[in-house]
Structure formats: structure tokens, C-alpha cells
């Protein structure tokens, strides 16, 4: 028991030291917004209390020049993409760009479609960059990203290619972050001259004890409510 305690204790201390070290590095863009409840009232639906809380926590983090390092945990259908989209809109209003990286093309496409619908009333444009975007369309998209014309870019690993240059990247979202390697995450963060604010998203249930140890360097936001009128999620095995 004592040896097990030592191992967990040193892991915990190491992660807390890393968290403390990160907080002392003041090299991030301050994203300040005149946030009010009116912002949520402009949405075509009523956000849950958990979604509002998560957005407020992120806004509070991003007001300083310390980089946000936050994990957003919520079941499938709890509205994680909406939270990421609202924060991306806030960053866009402040003149900054957002990159949202998903592990598969299907997931990236779903996120892009959701965010295009969500942010259309705010006139915040959303672009999709995946392996399927080729030739002239890809070259044009590179130009729009580099010039800052596109404030929100959703994509797969295509986002970390050398050809992708951002104008003013300040907010990075990594969905299903456990499916990316450390170097892949760092490569996306390195697309900015300043350290971007980071929101990692996961639907994988992580007990509180593991949150404190494995994700000790991250702050935690949990979506523990389902949006109204959301159908229950069913998991079934379908034979050939």
C-alpha cells in the first residue's frame, strides 16, 4: 500500500508542478468579451445550465495571458460541440482564429455542419479542411486561413500540415483528445506565435480520481445535463 501511495503521490506532484509551471508562462492572447446572458438568448435553442457554466469557465480562463488548459467531458449528445462553437465565436469577435481538430473525417464534417448552422446568425464563417479537400479548393482555403478571413477552421490531421498557416490562432479545440499523440497536439498549438488557449473534449467517462491524476495538468468542465428534447442515445449490436 505504501509503495502504491508513493507512485500515485509522485505522479500527482509531477502533474501539479507542470500545471503550476504552465500558469507562470504568460504568453497567450487575452480574449476579453462583454459577456452577457443576452448572448445565449440569441441562440435558436435554450442551452443547458451545464453548457452555460462551461462557456463561462472558459471565458474566465481566457481573460488572462495564461493559456487555458481545460478538459470538457460530456456524454454523446450533451452538447460539447455547441460549447466549443460558442467559445470560438467569442474568440472571433475579439479578432482571433480557432482551430478544431477531430480524429476522423466523418466527425470533422459533422462538427463543421453543426457549427455552420450554429454560427450563421452571428455571421462567423466556418471552414472544413480534410483530406477530401483537394486542388484549387485546398489552395484557396489555405489562403483564406493565412489571411484570417476564416475565423473558425474545423479539420482532421490535415490541420497540422506545414502548408497550413494561421493569421492569428488563439484558441484550439481537440476532440477525442486521447486519440491524438502528444506531438500531434503540440504541432497544432505551435501554429501560433503565442500559446493558444486549449480545450480538449472527450465523451469517454473518466472517474474523478483519474481526472486528478492522469489529467492533473488540466482544469475540468463537465456537461452533466442533456439538452431539452434530446432523444436518448442507444448503443446496439447490429448483425450483418
Amino acid at each position: 500500500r505504501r509503495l502504491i501511495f508513493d507512485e500515485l503521490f509522485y505522479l500527482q506532484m509531477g502533474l501539479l508542478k507542470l500545471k503550476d509551471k504552465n500558469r507562470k508562462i504568460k504568453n497567450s492572447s487575452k480574449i476579453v468579451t462583454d459577456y452577457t446572458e443576452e448572448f445565449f438568448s440569441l441562440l435558436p435553442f435554450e442551452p443547458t445550465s451545464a453548457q452555460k457554466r462551461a462557456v463561462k469557465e472558459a471565458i474566465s480562463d481566457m481573460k488572462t495571458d495564461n493559456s487555458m488548459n481545460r478538459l470538457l467531458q460530456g456524454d454523446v449528445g450533451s452538447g460539447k460541440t455547441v460549447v466549443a462553437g460558442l467559445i470560438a465565436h467569442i474568440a472571433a469577435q475579439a479578432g482571433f482564429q480557432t482551430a478544431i481538430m477531430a480524429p476522423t473525417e466523418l466527425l470533422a464534417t459533422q462538427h463543421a455542419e453543426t457549427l455552420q448552422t450554429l454560427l450563421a446568425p452571428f455571421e462567423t464563417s466556418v471552414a472544413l479542411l480534410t483530406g477530401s479537400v483537394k486542388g484549387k479548393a485546398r489552395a484557396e482555403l489555405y489562403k483564406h486561413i493565412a489571411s484570417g478571413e476564416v475565423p473558425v477552421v474545423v479539420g482532421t490531421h490535415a490541420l497540422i500540415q506545414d502548408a497550413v498557416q494561421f493569421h492569428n490562432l488563439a484558441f484550439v479545440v481537440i476532440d477525442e483528445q486521447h486519440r491524438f499523440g502528444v506531438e500531434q497536439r503540440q504541432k497544432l498549438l505551435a501554429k501560433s506565435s503565442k500559446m493558444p488557449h486549449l480545450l480538449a473534449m472527450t465523451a469517454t467517462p473518466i472517474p474523478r480520481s483519474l481526472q486528478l491524476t492522469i489529467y492533473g495538468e488540466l482544469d475540468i468542465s463537465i456537461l452533466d445535463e442533456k439538452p431539452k428534447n434530446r432523444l436518448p442515445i442507444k448503443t446496439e449490436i447490429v448483425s450483418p
Side-chain angles (χ1 to χ4, degrees):
R1 285 174 65 90
R2 177 66 210 188
L3 290 171
I4 292 170
F5 174 85
D6 280 354
E7 285 188 16
L8 293 174
F9 177 76
Y10 287 124
L11 174 62
Q12 181 76 65
M13 288 300 293
L15 288 169
L16 288 173
K17 284 185 72 175
L18 179 61
K19 187 174 185 177
D20 185 57
K21 180 183 174 183
N22 288 339
R23 282 182 168 161
K24 289 175 181 175
I25 301 173
K26 299 184 180 295
N27 184 34
S28 296
S29 300
K30 292 182 183 179
I31 300 177
V32 180
T33 178
D34 294 326
Y35 169 77
T36 64
E37 286 292 333
E38 292 174 26
F39 175 66
F40 285 126
S41 70
L42 296 173
L43 295 172
F45 57 88
E46 177 63 29
T48 65
S49 298
Q51 286 175 315
K52 289 182 178 181
R53 184 177 65 243
V55 172
K56 289 177 182 178
E57 287 169 347
I59 289 172
S60 178
D61 287 349
M62 297 190 301
K63 282 180 180 177
T64 72
D65 51 8
N66 291 110
S67 64
M68 172 175 73
N69 281 289
R70 187 166 286 278
L71 176 71
L72 179 63
Q73 181 189 324
D75 289 338
V76 173
S78 60
K80 295 187 296 294
T81 307
V82 169
V83 171
L86 293 176
I87 301 167
H89 167 66
I90 289 165
Q93 292 293 96
F96 298 106
Q97 286 176 295
T98 294
I100 300 175
M101 188 164 69
T104 66
E105 191 162 324
L106 179 62
L107 198 54
T109 303
Q110 288 176 341
H111 285 333
E113 289 174 354
T114 299
L115 295 176
Q116 283 163 355
T117 302
L118 176 72
L119 300 181
F122 300 107
E123 298 183 352
T124 299
S125 61
V126 179
L128 175 65
L129 177 60
T130 66
S132 296
V133 182
K134 299 182 184 297
K136 189 176 179 182
R138 195 180 188 93
E140 284 294 310
L141 185 51
Y142 284 162
K143 284 183 192 174
H144 294 320
I145 295 172
S147 67
E149 291 175 61
V150 179
V152 182
V153 186
V154 183
T156 53
H157 298 78
L159 289 174
I160 62 177
Q161 292 179 348
D162 293 339
V164 181
Q165 300 294 325
F166 287 87
H167 176 67
N168 200 2
L169 180 63
F171 179 45
V172 166
V173 180
I174 299 180
D175 190 24
E176 296 299 332
Q177 61 88 31
H178 57 279
R179 294 175 65 178
F180 291 98
V182 173
E183 288 185 7
Q184 289 174 323
R185 294 197 293 268
Q186 289 303 318
K187 200 166 182 182
L188 183 55
L189 293 171
K191 292 284 183 183
S192 173
S193 58
K194 290 189 172 185
M195 177 58 75
H197 298 284
L198 173 66
L199 182 72
M201 302 198 300
T202 183
T204 307
I206 302 168
R208 182 65 186 166
S209 57
L210 285 179
Q211 285 179 352
L212 289 171
T213 55
I214 307 304
Y215 294 109
E217 79 278 20
L218 298 175
D219 294 308
I220 314 289
S221 290
I222 299 177
L223 297 184
D224 49 10
E225 299 175 57
K226 281 202 175 93
K228 291 177 183 175
N229 304 319
R230 179 58 55 91
L231 294 172
I233 303 298
K234 293 182 181 178
T235 303
E236 298 180 11
I237 297 174
V238 182
S239 69

